Amino acid sequence: MAEGTPGAGDRPDDVPGSGDVPPSGDAGAAGRPDGSGTSGGSGTSGGSENEELRQLRARVAALEGAQARPRHHRVRAFWSALLIVVGCVLAPLSVVAAWASQEVGNTDRYVATVAPIARNPDVQDAVATRVTDALMQHIDLNSILEGVAPADRPRVADALGRLGGTLENALKSFVHDKAQAVVASDRFQTFWTEANRKVHDALDKALTGSGGGAVTLTNNAVEIDLGPVIDQVKERLVADGLTAAGKIPEIHTQFTVVKSDDIGKVKTGFRLLQLAGFWLPVIAVLLVAAGVLLALRRRRALVAAALGVAFATLLLGGALTAFRAVYLDALPAAVSQPAAGAVYDAMVRLMRVAVRMVVALGVVVALGAWLSGPGRRAGFVRGLWHSGIRAVRSAADRAGLRTGPVGRWVHRYRRWIVWVLVAAALLAYLLWSYPTGWVVVGLALALLFALAVVDFLDEPEHAGTQEDGSA
């Protein structure tokens, strides 16, 4: 309130100019030169004038107070909107920060995320193709002639010369089949899991600047050495009669897990997000809560804030889908697009789960705040809800089911019971290790069912008294 400006709570005597108004009795006398103002009817007239004067002073004070309030309200509204907007902007960053902390900062969780990739057909085919190409570079068709008698070698060599293309394709298909069998085995699953434990060190080094290990960052790419897989394929080739494969030297070829030319550029920002993995979501929630508490219409602000957080996080989900296409287009032609897409989907799966969870939570909170408000539509929905509960209750009463003292106890402490149920649902959400969108929906439905039970059991005090009297 502006300094020196009286508000609605100030005394009427402080209103400017009010001291110039004469008392009611003097006003009556002044209005009558003959002094008739002191006659018997002057009491009623004086009381009416006093009442009008009090009303006039109250209106003046209210008007003067209203001149100061809008500025105060505008300041509150500005800061409320600013805090809510900042909180909404931080919401998607909080999801990324939590993912960075849990996925990149936790080896076991990372391995659990990428382990199923080894069973993906596209990844298996890409690995088998890479192994086959590496082996075919070291298999000389002429070496197959070593087992042929020296006298027959010229004739066989001439035949291979005429059928070389066909024979090479047949041999490549044979090697690919053996490689496919290896990558579909349990040994490859074990190799993939252990290799990705080492990959996690390289990924952590690539995105945070720490870590290290046998699997390293090369040319902005995190790669797995397929040397052990090639050795297993060579063993199978020799066992199936291609003895020339036993003379192939040790081969090392790489399978790209993550590749991006911008890894070095985003390293600092990603490191900051990882460090803020826990605190950034907390800060975002506190900012939104502060904005709602500062708002003039808190319920409306809560609905807007919840929907704003849900919308901002939904944009992150759209960005993940759009970036997938950009990432795949930027990969070299030698990298299998289906396999790279499967790896990308596995890496961001938990982030997408978090996006769906935040969106579901925002929608549930917005619906809860709206339905509990005084709006006409919200009241109509609540009326339908209570009508349905009363219909069920009436049917139960006709069937002879009575709540008795339980119903009256619920009626007496209904407000506390509702708050305890809401707190229990919130606590369950906070204590859930990794909540998903379905967890949020399930908790909301469980809370709704509990509130329906409370509404069903609620029985006013007079209802029991009427029943006792009628009995």
Side-chain angles (χ1 to χ4, degrees):
M1 183 171 297
E3 183 177 355
T5 304
D10 296 331
R11 293 188 308 168
D13 293 339
D14 294 334
V15 178
S18 62
D20 299 333
V21 181
S24 60
D26 295 339
R32 298 177 183 273
D34 58 354
S36 61
T38 59
S39 62
S42 64
T44 304
S45 176
S48 176
E49 291 177 356
N50 281 333
E51 181 63 24
E52 291 178 358
L53 183 59
R54 282 194 294 270
Q55 292 179 2
L56 179 60
R57 289 175 174 174
R59 291 179 181 178
V60 171
L63 291 174
E64 292 179 345
Q67 295 176 358
R69 280 198 298 271
R71 174 183 296 180
H72 176 64
H73 287 180
R74 286 195 296 268
V75 172
R76 285 184 57 184
F78 170 77
W79 284 107
S80 172
L82 180 62
L83 291 175
I84 291 176
V85 169
V86 173
C88 291
V89 172
L90 291 181
L93 294 179
S94 301
V95 173
V96 178
W99 172 82
S101 177
Q102 297 170 6
E103 189 81 8
V104 181
N106 189 321
T107 302
D108 292 334
R109 190 161 175 78
Y110 169 81
V111 171
T113 298
V114 299
I117 298 177
R119 293 187 291 271
N120 186 281
D122 294 325
V123 174
Q124 290 181 352
D125 185 68
V127 172
T129 300
R130 181 62 58 86
V131 170
T132 300
D133 292 341
L135 285 172
M136 289 301 297
Q137 292 178 3
H138 294 79
I139 295 179
D140 185 5
L141 293 179
N142 293 325
S143 64
I144 302 177
L145 299 175
E146 293 180 357
V148 181
D152 296 332
R153 286 182 185 179
R155 180 170 52 83
V156 176
D158 182 64
L160 289 178
R162 294 192 300 269
L163 302 175
T166 303
L167 181 60
E168 183 177 358
N169 291 335
L171 182 59
K172 184 175 182 179
S173 178
F174 177 73
V175 174
H176 187 274
D177 290 341
K178 300 307 174 184
Q180 192 76 42
V182 169
V183 298
S185 65
D186 293 337
R187 293 180 64 183
F188 178 72
Q189 304 290 328
T190 303
F191 162 77
W192 180 268
T193 300
E194 295 303 321
N196 272 284
R197 287 192 177 274
K198 300 177 181 179
V199 163
H200 181 265
D201 293 336
L203 185 63
D204 184 61
K205 178 181 180 181
L207 295 176
T208 66
S210 61
V215 184
T216 57
L217 176 66
T218 305
N219 297 326
N220 288 328
V222 178
E223 300 173 332
I224 293 179
D225 183 7
L226 296 179
V229 179
I230 293 177
D231 291 339
Q232 296 177 30
V233 176
K234 287 194 298 184
E235 293 176 1
R236 293 209 176 196
L237 291 174
V238 172
D240 290 341
L242 189 60
T243 56
K247 299 181 178 181
I248 297 176
E250 184 177 355
I251 302 175
H252 295 276
T253 186
Q254 307 298 321
F255 179 80
T256 302
V257 178
V258 178
K259 181 176 178 61
S260 176
D261 294 336
D262 296 327
I263 286 180
K265 299 178 182 178
V266 302
K267 182 185 299 185
T268 302
F270 198 91
R271 180 61 172 168
L272 292 176
L273 286 176
Q274 186 190 32
L275 294 176
F278 172 79
W279 291 108
L280 194 58
V282 174
I283 293 173
V285 172
L286 291 179
L287 287 176
V288 172
V292 171
L293 293 176
L294 195 60
L296 299 175
R297 298 181 179 181
R298 293 175 180 173
R299 193 184 306 275
R300 181 178 297 181
L302 178 58
V303 173
L307 293 179
V309 169
F311 178 74
T313 309
L314 190 62
L315 291 179
L316 173 62
L320 291 176
T321 302
F323 181 75
R324 183 182 190 273
V326 175
Y327 170 72
L328 294 180
D329 291 341
L331 291 176
V335 177
S336 171
Q337 294 278 320
V343 173
Y344 177 87
D345 292 337
M347 292 293 294
V348 302
R349 182 182 64 85
L350 293 180
M351 197 185 306
R352 284 174 170 159
V353 170
V355 166
R356 290 191 287 267
M357 183 271 296
V358 175
V359 171
L361 182 62
V363 172
V364 167
V365 171
L367 279 176
W370 176 73
L371 288 174
S372 61
R376 182 172 58 86
R377 293 183 179 87
F380 176 74
V381 175
R382 291 198 304 272
L384 291 178
W385 167 270
H386 293 305
S387 298
I389 298 296
R390 284 195 297 269
V392 176
R393 177 67 182 272
S394 299
D397 290 341
R398 287 193 298 270
L401 299 176
R402 297 287 188 272
T403 59
V406 174
R408 292 189 288 275
W409 181 85
V410 170
H411 178 77
R412 186 179 309 154
Y413 299 104
R414 173 170 178 150
R415 181 181 296 273
W416 288 102
I417 294 174
V418 169
W419 279 112
V420 167
L421 290 175
V422 173
L426 180 61
L427 184 63
Y429 167 78
L430 294 176
L431 294 180
W432 208 286
S433 298
Y434 297 104
T436 64
W438 288 114
V439 169
V440 173
V441 173
L443 290 176
L445 293 177
L447 176 60
L448 199 63
F449 176 77
L451 294 177
V453 172
V454 171
D455 202 8
F456 176 82
L457 295 176
D458 186 3
E459 182 178 351
E461 298 282 351
H462 61 81
T465 304
Q466 290 177 357
E467 290 179 2
D468 295 340
S470 62

